[in-house]
């Protein structure tokens, strides 16, 4: 009996392999490229360079020039070309080297991709994925550190997702590619190399995470922390510290920015009675602002024992010096501080 | 290709296609139906092209009547839209195409319906040639549920099969068109994409980005600049350092074409289509044309050009008159026949306008529909937190 028990244990360990966030993205794209001939990837350095951040490593070798296309440095042009290809029946994945560069192409994302299905009253759909790293990195300064979750999350006609773990990356990217609508897929450069466990189920070829559903990463009774992308790691770390003091945080991983899973947040607040949102982006008109507004307007307001607050990036362009940069985005101590303030402890 | 030709020969033949007729003509055989063997006065200006379109074209009676009917329908439709706009039944933007009919009709005559086309906001004419009906187009302009986009798009956002609009952002349609061409090449169906833009848009950066990629990847894309001499109120001389729009593609071969002559446009388009389909990559056509109306209905169109200029184009280069004269002077059709077409067209437009003014507006239930394709129904926030609206695909 003991031998059987040990054998089972090892089987479980082996099947739960560790994958880096970038590997999860790579696998997801590889599998979707194989599954559907109409899927193709275009962007700067995605082919022969194996991807600026090596996310598309090996894909060009496997699929060739037709399906993995290196573009010149012309975002507005190639984003438009990707949207046109989607209109004509293909399923492009358009990579922006970072979402900061998507600003050059934002007209194509919003006016050509997001709005077209509506303007045509259903005649013309646009099955496209725009993906790339979003938000702050390390030492890349102001022009390369902006978070676009709120900008894209603002627009009807777009779906906007922001994965945190490798599992998120895999399941959400597959869903995004299979989705018949424009999806903005916000990755994070600092997460690319982070390893995560992925169960056998997650590794299966048809593992999909539905767009629009949040996940509770950690159960808790005292306060709800809502966040997305890299900040989830900080929330979990803060929760671990707070747990030692007897404060149990419920950490909700939004996974999707638009459509926002307000119900998951409301259900949690009805249990914990306290809310703190955590994001890397700027405060004004941001993700936290939207969540708080919705909670105010919804059934969960009456369950709040204290005003809900937001932990956000500092309202400044990102500085370069390390100490300044570190103090421009939420740190674990900021989350802990805000939780304690909200709980009045 | 410019103005009237010096040498025009009419021959009577039956059956056969244009190419056969041309060959037969040189053997001087006589048959029983009407074909016009037309020789152009002047060659097209060429850029990095060895040969332009042929100096002769064959127009059958059937083709002539069809082009006439379509151009006349387009003209009457636009004039009716003008009327309805002044009566405030059409609102917002309305960019009229009258004067430029030969472009839309000539281009369509040079490609197949299975090919693809995209243009900017002066799109009513193309919506028609690409398969839309006058009824649907007018009802879209008046914002009714019978409109081609159910009233949700308006003048600048009309779509049909293989016609991608109708695009409001100047120049944005050009990369889109190259993307469509990429899909054509990718899917291997020997289709191409005609990608139109104006003299104003021709200075947009994204167009040059598109020239680069289309040329690099040899996309089957016909770029067409409809040069009507004015970008809104700015004449080409004031907007462009080089007004040789057919050369602006630099490494892309180009040709400049008389956009008021439907046959000229057709022959040039055929050449361009052949170029693309043979895998040589993109090609650029500049159509020299003219719009009688201002930029849009809010522009009288006379502050930046003289009424004399408009009148001169109308009397000397009107595309419909040109075709009509050509057919009449070569006995390809009778005055009565063409008048009959005019009457039929008028009736069609009247019926369409009647429909467009009496059809009800879209139902309020439709407000939030068509956000996403192939998605389960969802809720959309209304103007206040208590209003939850339903949205279906």
């Amino acid at each position: 009996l003991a031998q059987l028990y040990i054998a089972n244990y090892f089987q479980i360990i082996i099947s739960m392999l560790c994958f880096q966030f970038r590997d999860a993205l790579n696998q997801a794209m590889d599998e979707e490229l194989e599954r559907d001939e109409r899927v193709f990837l275009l962007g700067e350095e995605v082919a022969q360079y194996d991807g600026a951040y090596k996310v598309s490593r090996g894909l060009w070798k496997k699929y060739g020039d037709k399906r993995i296309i290196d573009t010149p440095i012309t975002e507005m042009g190639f984003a438009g070309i990707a949207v046109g290809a989607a209109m004509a029946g293909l399923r492009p994945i358009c990579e922006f080297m970072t979402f900061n560069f998507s600003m050059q192409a934002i007209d194509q994302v919003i006016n050509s991709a997001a709005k077209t299905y509506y303007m045509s009253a259903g005649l013309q759909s646009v099955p496209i994925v725009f993906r790339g790293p979003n938000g702050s990195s390390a030492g890349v300064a102001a022009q390369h550190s902006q978070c676009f979750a709120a900008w894209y999350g603002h627009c009807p006609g777009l779906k906007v997702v922001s994965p945190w773990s490798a599992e998120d990356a895999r399941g959400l990217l597959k869903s995004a590619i299979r989705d018949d609508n424009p999806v903005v897929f916000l990755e994070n450069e600092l997460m690319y190399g982070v390893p995560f466990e992925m169960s056998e189920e997650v590794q299966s070829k048809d593992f999909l995470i539905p767009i629009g559903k949040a996940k509770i990463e950690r159960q808790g009774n005292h306060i709800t922390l809502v966040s997305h992308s890299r900040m989830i790691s900080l929330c979990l770390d803060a929760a671990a510290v707070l747990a030692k003091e007897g404060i149990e945080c419920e950490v909700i991983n939004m996974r999707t920015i638009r459509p926002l899973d307000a119900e998951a947040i409301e259900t949690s607040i009805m249990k914990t009675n306290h809310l703190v949102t955590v994001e890397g982006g700027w405060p004004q008109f941001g993700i936290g602002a939207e969540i708080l507004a919705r909670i105010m307007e919804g059934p969960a307001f009456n369950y709040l024992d204290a005003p809900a607050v937001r932990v956000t990036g500092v309202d400044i362009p990102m500085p370069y010096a390390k100490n300044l940069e570190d103090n421009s985005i939420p740190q674990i101590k900021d989350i802990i501080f805000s939780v304690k303030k909200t709980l009045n402890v | 290709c410019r103005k009237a030709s010096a040498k025009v020969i009419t021959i009577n033949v039956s059956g056969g296609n244009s190419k056969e007729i041309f060959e037969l003509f040189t053997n001087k055989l006589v048959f029983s139906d009407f074909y016009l063997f037309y020789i152009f006065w002047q060659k097209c200006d060429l850029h990095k092209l060895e040969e332009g379109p042929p100096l002769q074209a064959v127009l059958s009676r059937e083709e002539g009547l069809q082009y006439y009917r379509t151009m006349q329908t387009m003209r009457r439709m636009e004039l009716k839209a003008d009327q309805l706009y002044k009566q405030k039944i059409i609102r917002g933007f309305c960019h009229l195409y009258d004067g430029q009919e030969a472009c839309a009709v000539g281009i369509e005559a040079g490609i197949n319906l299975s090919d693809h086309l995209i243009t900017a906001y002066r799109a009513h004419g193309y919506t028609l040639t690409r398969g839309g009906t006058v009824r649907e187009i007018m009802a879209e302009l008046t914002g009714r549920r019978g409109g081609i986009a159910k009233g949700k798009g308006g003048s600048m956002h009309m779509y049909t099969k293989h016609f991608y609009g109708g695009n409001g952002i100047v120049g944005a349609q050009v990369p889109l068109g190259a993307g469509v061409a990429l899909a054509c090449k990718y899917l291997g169906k020997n289709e191409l994409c005609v990608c139109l833009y104006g003299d104003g848009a021709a200075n947009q950066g994204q167009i040059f980005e598109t020239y680069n990629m289309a040329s690099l990847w040899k996309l089957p894309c016909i770029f067409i600049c409809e040069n009507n001499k004015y970008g809104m109120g700015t004449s080409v001389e004031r907007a462009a350092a080089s007004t040789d729009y057919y050369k602006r593609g630099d490494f892309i071969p180009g040709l400049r074409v008389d956009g008021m002559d439907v046959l000229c446009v057709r022959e040039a388009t055929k050449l361009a289509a052949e170029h693309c389909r043979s895998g040589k990559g993109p090609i650029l056509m500049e159509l020299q044309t003219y719009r009688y109306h201002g930029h849009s209905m809010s522009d009288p169109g006379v502050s930046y050009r003289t009424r004399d200029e408009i009148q001169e184009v109308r009397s000397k280069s009107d595309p419909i008159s040109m075709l009509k004269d050509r057919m009449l002077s070569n006995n390809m059709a009778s005055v009565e026949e063409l008048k009959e077409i005019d009457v039929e067209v008028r009736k069609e437009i009247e019926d369409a306008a009647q429909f467009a003014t009496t059809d009800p507006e879209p139902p309020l239930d439709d407000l939030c529909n068509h956000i996403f394709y192939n998605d389960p129904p969802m809720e959309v926030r209304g103007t206040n937190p208590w209003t939850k609206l339903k949205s279906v695909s």
Side-chain angles (χ1 to χ4, degrees):
Chain A
L1 206 66
Q3 272 179 326
L4 254 168
Y5 186 80
I6 293 165
N8 272 339
Y9 184 72
F10 275 116
Q11 233 174 351
I12 294 164
I13 295 290
I14 289 162
S15 65
M16 294 262 286
L17 292 173
C18 267
F19 291 92
Q20 288 186 4
F21 188 97
R22 67 157 58 81
D23 297 330
L25 293 172
N26 185 289
Q27 281 167 18
M29 284 199 285
D30 192 350
E31 286 163 19
E32 294 306 301
L33 281 157
E34 192 164 19
R35 178 180 174 271
D36 189 339
E37 266 178 13
R38 300 167 298 170
V39 176
F40 72 99
L41 172 67
L42 91 170
E44 293 156 14
E45 309 299 348
V46 296
Q48 297 188 21
Y49 196 82
D50 271 338
Y53 302 98
K54 306 301 172 209
V55 174
S56 54
R57 176 171 25 217
L59 294 179
W60 175 67
K61 264 220 180 77
K62 185 171 175 186
Y63 295 101
D65 284 331
K66 181 181 173 182
R67 313 223 21 227
I68 313 291
I69 303 176
D70 272 338
T71 64
I73 310 171
T74 50
E75 274 77 5
M76 199 168 185
F78 72 70
I81 284 181
V83 175
M87 288 181 176
L90 299 182
R91 303 187 75 90
I93 306 169
C94 176
E95 178 177 305
F96 291 119
M97 199 183 278
T98 78
F99 265 94
N100 299 285
F101 315 142
S102 75
M103 277 203 282
Q104 302 211 303
I106 201 164
D107 174 66
Q108 297 289 3
V109 178
I110 307 299
N111 281 321
S112 301
K115 296 178 185 172
T116 294
Y117 193 66
Y118 187 87
M119 290 193 296
S120 67
L123 287 172
Q124 181 64 67
S125 64
V126 186
I128 189 169
V129 176
F130 297 100
R131 50 158 290 272
N134 175 58
S136 61
S137 180
V140 293
Q143 292 180 342
H144 289 73
S145 306
Q146 188 169 334
C147 175
F148 289 85
W151 282 32
Y152 288 116
H154 188 57
C155 300
L158 281 182
K159 297 188 185 180
V160 182
V161 296
S162 184
W164 163 65
S165 63
E167 176 182 326
D168 289 353
R170 187 179 159 72
L172 285 173
L173 186 53
K174 278 164 139 347
S175 291
I177 294 169
R178 294 189 198 191
D179 200 306
D180 291 327
N181 297 287
V183 181
V184 170
F185 192 89
L186 304 170
E187 301 157 12
N188 187 294
E189 201 218 317
L190 296 174
M191 295 304 290
Y192 281 151
V194 177
F196 289 87
E197 280 172 354
M198 271 185 1
S199 70
E200 225 175 271
E201 188 213 336
V202 173
Q203 290 172 57
S204 77
K205 289 222 159 110
D206 282 312
F207 173 72
L208 300 171
I209 292 178
I211 294 178
K213 287 269 164 276
K215 183 185 178 199
I216 298 175
E217 297 290 348
R218 185 188 194 284
Q219 300 261 8
N221 285 315
H222 298 130
I223 186 164
T224 302
L225 292 176
V226 180
S227 184
H228 70 102
S229 189
R230 193 170 80 84
M231 290 291 134
I232 296 286
S233 300
L234 274 76
C235 288
L236 289 171
D237 290 345
V241 172
L242 287 162
K244 296 202 187 100
E245 298 178 42
I247 299 172
E248 294 297 328
C249 302
E250 180 145 290
V251 178
I252 298 184
N253 175 3
M254 288 172 72
R255 285 180 157 178
T256 302
I257 306 290
R258 181 176 186 116
L260 203 153
D261 191 354
E263 209 186 300
I265 304 173
E266 283 163 357
T267 309
S268 178
I269 290 172
M270 291 183 197
K271 184 173 74 170
T272 67
N273 310 121
H274 298 85
L275 173 66
V276 171
T277 65
V278 183
E279 68 197 280
W282 294 320
Q284 298 197 36
F285 313 99
I287 304 295
E290 174 64 20
I291 294 174
L292 265 55
R294 287 222 204 174
I295 297 306
M296 283 270 278
E297 290 180 346
F301 171 72
N302 289 313
Y303 290 77
L304 283 174
D305 286 345
V309 298
R310 306 163 290 166
V311 174
T312 70
V314 178
D315 204 8
I316 52 170
M318 181 68 74
Y320 166 66
K322 183 161 201 320
N323 67 325
L324 295 182
E325 185 180 56
D326 288 346
N327 282 283
S328 303
I329 45 171
Q331 299 177 47
I332 295 170
K333 65 176 170 66
D334 299 318
I335 303 174
I336 294 172
F337 176 77
S338 304
V339 166
K340 287 185 171 172
K341 273 286 225 187
T342 305
L343 289 170
N344 206 15
V345 297
Chain B
C1 309
R2 310 228 181 261
K3 300 296 164 95
S5 94
K7 231 174 162 189
V8 169
I9 304 150
T10 313
I11 52 170
N12 300 349
V13 289
S14 78
N17 60 28
S18 306
K19 187 159 181 273
E20 280 174 25
I21 301 312
F22 178 53
E23 282 158 11
L24 284 167
F25 170 76
T26 53
N27 293 330
K28 291 194 174 82
L29 293 168
V30 176
F31 295 81
S32 62
D33 223 289
F34 272 115
Y35 280 83
L36 170 67
F37 181 64
Y38 185 83
I39 299 177
F40 296 112
W41 177 245
Q42 222 175 311
K43 283 183 162 192
C44 296
D45 293 321
L46 300 177
H47 172 72
K48 300 209 171 146
L49 261 183
E50 292 285 306
E51 251 182 66
L55 270 178
Q56 61 282 326
V58 180
L59 175 72
S60 76
R61 195 181 109 84
E62 200 183 304
E63 284 166 349
L65 290 174
Q66 187 224 313
Y67 301 159
Y68 181 82
R69 179 185 287 270
T70 312
M71 290 204 286
Q72 190 70 288
T73 307
M74 219 178 272
R75 174 69 58 91
R76 295 263 132 239
M77 179 176 77
E78 295 296 78
L79 293 178
K80 179 54 82 173
D82 170 280
Q83 237 178 51
L84 292 175
Y85 195 92
K86 286 172 176 151
Q87 293 173 313
K88 297 199 198 291
I89 300 172
I90 297 178
R91 39 190 279 280
F93 287 128
C94 192
H95 306 86
L96 298 177
Y97 199 66
D98 51 316
Q100 300 185 212
E101 294 87 357
C103 297
V105 174
I107 289 169
E108 194 62 47
I111 58 173
N112 309 317
L113 262 178
S114 57
D115 289 318
H116 307 254
L117 192 142
I118 190 169
T119 185
Y121 46 76
R122 203 174 299 279
H124 310 157
Y126 290 99
T127 316
L128 191 68
T129 52
R130 287 261 103 196
T133 65
V134 183
R135 258 166 89 96
E136 295 175 309
I137 295 170
M138 301 214 75
E140 187 61 34
L141 291 175
T142 55
R144 307 303 165 96
R145 63 180 71 183
I148 202 165
K150 301 194 173 77
K152 294 173 94 166
S155 168
M156 299 188 295
H157 308 295
M158 302 193 191
Y159 304 79
T160 70
K161 186 161 187 242
H162 290 202
F163 174 56
Y164 305 86
N167 287 277
I169 307 294
V170 172
Q173 76 278 11
V174 179
L176 293 180
V180 173
L182 184 119
C184 289
K185 184 172 179 179
Y186 190 107
L187 295 168
K189 291 197 244 174
N190 199 27
E191 292 164 2
L192 52 80
C193 184
V194 176
C195 183
L196 292 127
Y197 55 94
D199 49 278
N203 301 312
Q204 274 262 318
Q206 55 186 323
I207 294 187
F208 293 89
E209 296 186 13
T210 309
Y211 289 157
N212 183 39
M213 286 183 273
S215 199
L216 258 181
W217 302 333
K218 293 214 165 9
L219 302 180
C221 196
I222 305 177
F223 295 111
I224 301 187
C225 177
E226 282 180 291
N227 178 3
N228 59 21
K229 304 189 180 29
Y230 299 93
M232 204 154 145
T234 307
S235 68
V236 292
E237 298 79 35
R238 292 204 302 129
S242 161
T243 53
D244 289 331
Y245 295 103
Y246 71 109
K247 288 186 185 168
R248 300 279 290 275
D250 189 9
F251 35 77
I252 297 183
L255 62 159
R256 179 158 57 192
V257 175
D258 179 3
M260 303 306 262
D261 183 341
V262 67
L263 274 189
C264 210
V265 176
R266 183 187 79 179
E267 293 309 308
T269 307
K270 281 186 181 165
L271 175 108
E274 171 58 37
H275 185 274
C276 285
R277 282 192 232 278
S278 63
K280 295 195 185 119
I283 187 167
L284 205 163
M285 267 164 62
E286 177 189 338
L287 302 180
Q288 298 205 298
T289 182
Y290 199 83
R291 54 166 163 81
Y292 296 143
H293 268 86
H295 163 71
S296 72
M297 284 307 296
S298 28
D299 168 29
V302 287
S303 61
Y304 47 86
R305 53 186 192 171
T306 61
R307 284 184 211 274
D308 286 343
E309 180 187 289
I310 306 172
Q311 201 31 51
E312 191 176 339
V313 176
R314 244 191 235 280
S315 56
K316 295 199 181 140
S317 322
D318 183 274
I320 301 177
S321 304
M322 250 210 274
L323 179 65
K324 182 173 173 179
D325 292 343
R326 202 174 281 174
M327 290 187 70
L328 288 177
S329 60
N330 291 290
N331 289 320
M332 293 189 78
S334 64
V335 175
E336 292 77 34
E337 206 173 359
L338 294 181
K339 266 215 172 68
E340 208 183 296
I341 294 181
D342 288 349
V343 166
E344 281 167 18
V345 166
R346 244 179 243 274
K347 180 159 194 312
E348 189 185 349
I349 305 303
E350 276 310 316
D351 285 347
Q354 179 64 13
F355 174 68
T357 44
T358 54
D359 198 37
E361 285 186 307
L364 275 180
D365 298 346
D366 204 32
L367 181 69
C368 297
N369 293 340
H370 310 118
I371 300 283
F372 293 130
Y373 174 53
N374 222 5
D375 247 31
M378 64 179 193
E379 240 171 35
V380 170
R381 187 191 199 271
T383 57
N384 60 63
W386 297 276
T387 310
K388 308 246 186 272
L389 303 168
K390 185 128 183 265
S391 171
V392 298
S393 281

